Amino acid sequence: MKLFLDTAAIDDIPTAARWGVLDGVTTNPSLFAKVGGSYDAVLREICALTSGPVSAEVVAEDVEGMLREGRHFAALAPNIVVKVPMGEAGLEAIARLADEAIKTNCTLIFSANQGLLAAKAGASLLSPFVGRLDDINENGMTVIRELANIVKIHGLASEVLVASVRHPRHVTDAALAGAHIATVPLNVLRQMVRHPLTDSGTVQFRRDWMAAQAASAGGEVDEPAATLAGAAS
Ligand code: G3P
């Protein structure tokens, strides 16, 4: 499963890129509002930091407005994907942008049927919001499982991108449900790295190594010698 960062904060991106786990970035007006400045400038900078798809969201409510904003974003960089909210106007804009070979990400999806419609309209990415469904006592992962199954059974070209991810378990369940992509905030990505047993195991291995070095050196071992390189010297 591919992993995208869900952020408009430029500083978040190099961290995930350095770990070798970054496949793309998603932004939206709320994430952009947290950083401010020029949306175009932020998008250009993000597109320079990753070769993966970068989603830029339209805010117009009419079809012509969505097309105007979509064409503008698509012209900013080759890896831009235009994010269009689900709805009648959104479906028409997605279909017309697809005719112009402009990739789209249909966002604010909350049911498998909405995802099916967006796929048929030509959206490259389908973004169901699991966290917001869970917030209202619905099971967001059910929508992911259903939509991923529909895409697979009917051989649809779209990819299911799990959005509104709130915790690491959403990522595990999304992968098991057959989603193609999960977009996660950096703090969730950091949580995915950690496990208390990894921490305690690392400490124990180091302690055992130092004890072994001390034993073979017939006494106390100072810090530099505690590392493999130090021991070899
Ligand atoms: O990509 C959509 C995501 O940013 C929404 O997340 O946590 O506001 O539901 P959230």
Side-chain angles (χ1 to χ4, degrees):
M1 182 174 75
K2 288 179 255 184
L3 288 176
F4 289 6
L5 259 188
D6 198 25
T7 186
I10 302 292
D11 295 346
D12 286 355
I13 297 161
T15 305
R18 273 198 308 274
W19 297 350
V21 301
L22 185 67
D23 298 304
V25 176
T26 54
T27 72
N28 64 41
S30 306
L31 292 171
F32 170 65
K34 290 182 186 165
V35 298
S38 144
Y39 193 30
D40 287 0
V42 167
L43 291 168
R44 283 199 190 92
E45 239 186 299
I46 295 175
C47 289
L49 289 168
T50 176
S51 56
V54 175
S55 290
E57 187 159 343
V58 301
V59 291
E61 293 176 48
D62 63 305
V63 176
E64 292 310 321
M66 290 176 181
L67 293 174
R68 209 173 27 254
E69 290 175 35
R71 291 174 185 133
H72 169 79
F73 289 143
L76 290 176
N79 52 334
I80 285 275
V81 175
V82 179
K83 218 177 189 185
V84 180
M86 167 51 63
E88 294 181 12
L91 287 171
E92 183 176 342
I94 287 168
R96 289 176 61 183
L97 288 168
D99 290 343
E100 297 174 25
I102 294 176
K103 290 196 169 133
T104 56
N105 173 354
C106 184
T107 188
L108 291 169
I109 287 174
F110 293 97
S111 72
N113 277 342
Q114 287 181 320
L116 175 58
L117 289 170
K120 290 188 69 61
S124 319
L125 304 173
L126 313 172
S127 291
F129 282 36
V130 288
R132 295 190 188 185
L133 284 163
D134 293 353
D135 290 347
I136 61 164
N137 297 308
E138 291 189 20
N139 184 336
M141 217 41 76
T142 302
V143 173
I144 303 300
R145 212 168 289 115
E146 290 176 347
L147 187 53
N149 246 332
I150 290 168
V151 165
K152 191 173 171 197
I153 293 166
H154 299 284
L156 301 172
S158 312
E159 290 185 299
V160 177
L161 188 168
V162 179
S164 180
V165 167
R166 301 290 175 71
H167 49 73
R169 191 69 219 180
H170 272 154
V171 181
T172 311
D173 292 342
L176 292 169
H180 304 86
I181 309 163
T183 191
V184 300
L186 183 59
N187 67 310
V188 173
L189 202 63
R190 285 196 192 282
Q191 290 170 324
M192 290 169 64
V193 175
R194 298 201 192 109
H195 193 289
L197 292 179
T198 305
D199 299 342
S200 60
T202 306
V203 170
Q204 190 56 50
F205 281 158
R206 183 173 177 70
R207 254 203 220 114
D208 293 345
W209 176 261
M210 288 173 70
Q213 295 312 308
S216 67
E220 284 303 309
V221 171
D222 59 14
E223 190 54 33
T227 64
L228 276 176
S233 62

